[in-house]
Amino acid sequence: MPNLNAAFSALSDPTRRAILARLATGEATVLELAAPFAITQPAISRHLKVLEGAGLIVRRIDGTRRPCRLAKGGIEAIYQWLATLRDALSRNYDRLDEVLAAMNREKERNGHE
Amino acid sequence: MSKMTLVTEGDKHIVVTRHFDAPPEGLYRAHTEPELIRKWMLGPEGWTMPVCISEAHPGGKIRYEWSNGKGAGFHLTGEYLELEPYSRIVHVERMHLPEPTPDNHVETRFDPDGAGTLMTMRMTLPDAETRAHMLATGMEHGMEASYVRLEGLL
């Protein structure tokens, strides 16, 4: 399981988000990942290290290649966490619906007096 | 049915939108009057807001204290910057956990939307790291996430 702080911190960088988006379409090597970016391979490798440390990607050894892919557990943990927060926020606003409805009823009552 | 959306924007922003079947005046009051705020801004079930200070004028203080009734609690402080009844509120806020978090600059708009109101809350954090931390810890009354798009991810 990834550390959520490390995971969100890793996601705060646009290059790393682009790398994850690319990996969502399938496994890739550093060389393939570096191709679309105007940055060096060592820089991409550093980003991969951050993503790996955050539990968002895993790498395997295949001869001299070290292809990367998304770490299913890490990505799912983030979505699960966001869903939990989303529920808490939704409950706030569902309660606000009730408060607004009560305000409206009161207004109508006062208007009819 | 979900009426709420939450997206990240650029490196420092989080934008929440939601439609309400009530006029902007009701929304504005429910966001600024303490006796109304403490009825809904509570986060998870079981939490209450024993202290709610909201001085709705520029420079006015904000202080919300939450409790779960079992000894756990935390609070938020802030200041109002601009108020335009009943359409717009600008304030800054920070959580105390207990260390204060970096300031979150929040603009909340209430625009007529059909017979109701579209609320748009735009948060601006000092930097991408702070926003990431905020999403990770779910601070600000567990508010920060619904459809966080993670910009193209999956």
Side-chain angles (χ1 to χ4, degrees), chain A residues 56-75:
Chain A
L56 295 173
I57 66 167
V58 289
R59 310 183 74 174
R60 67 187 178 87
I61 295 169
D62 175 19
T64 55
R65 301 162 68 243
R66 293 204 62 204
C68 314
R69 60 184 163 79
L70 291 185
K72 203 161 170 263
I75 301 290

Side-chain angles (χ1 to χ4, degrees), chain B residues 78-104:
Chain B
E79 297 82 38
Y80 284 107
L81 300 178
E82 297 174 51
L83 293 127
E84 296 172 29
Y86 298 105
S87 61
R88 185 168 170 266
I89 301 166
V90 182
H91 76 277
V92 290
E93 63 178 41
R94 61 205 73 85
M95 300 291 301
H96 300 262
L97 300 166
E99 291 305 309
T101 59
D103 279 6
N104 180 12

Side-chain angles (χ1 to χ4, degrees), chain A residues 5 9 81 86 89 92 95 97, chain B residues 2 18 40 43 135 143 145:
Chain A
N5 256 323
S9 181
W81 173 249
R86 172 194 152 68
L89 178 53
N92 266 2
R95 272 191 293 260
D97 281 333
Chain B
S2 172
R18 194 188 191 276
W40 67 270
L135 286 167
M143 288 191 36

Side-chain angles (χ1 to χ4, degrees), chain B:
Chain B
M1 184 189 73
S2 172
K3 306 180 238 179
M4 184 184 77
T5 67
L6 187 155
V7 296
T8 55
E9 186 187 283
D11 282 341
K12 299 190 292 189
H13 307 288
I14 298 172
V15 182
V16 180
T17 66
R18 194 188 191 276
H19 173 88
F20 292 91
D21 294 329
E25 179 180 353
L27 266 298
Y28 182 90
R29 289 184 52 206
H31 276 79
T32 51
E33 297 180 17
E35 63 276 22
L36 294 174
I37 291 168
R38 64 197 307 175
K39 284 181 183 169
W40 67 270
M41 204 186 281
L42 302 171
E45 294 300 325
W47 285 73
T48 59
M49 194 190 286
V51 175
C52 180
I53 296 167
S54 169
E55 302 171 355
H57 57 81
K61 279 188 196 132
I62 297 169
R63 184 181 176 94
Y64 304 149
E65 294 184 19
W66 288 276
S67 162
N68 72 349
K70 297 170 196 158
F74 58 96
H75 69 281
L76 171 153
T77 61
E79 297 82 38
Y80 284 107
L81 300 178
E82 297 174 51
L83 293 127
E84 296 172 29
Y86 298 105
S87 61
R88 185 168 170 266
I89 301 166
V90 182
H91 76 277
V92 290
E93 63 178 41
R94 61 205 73 85
M95 300 291 301
H96 300 262
L97 300 166
E99 291 305 309
T101 59
D103 279 6
N104 180 12
H105 183 278
V106 187
E107 179 188 32
T108 311
R109 298 194 57 89
F110 308 113
D111 294 306
D113 181 24
T117 302
L118 177 68
M119 182 203 77
T120 307
M121 184 166 59
R122 192 164 193 272
M123 302 179 229
T124 305
L125 289 311
D127 50 52
E129 277 294 308
T130 305
R131 185 181 69 180
H133 184 71
M134 185 157 154
L135 286 167
T137 55
M139 59 186 55
E140 160 125 52
H141 15 288
M143 288 191 36
E144 313 332 318
S146 118
Y147 292 144
V148 173
R149 281 177 309 159
L150 305 180
E151 296 170 40
L153 169 62
L154 300 185

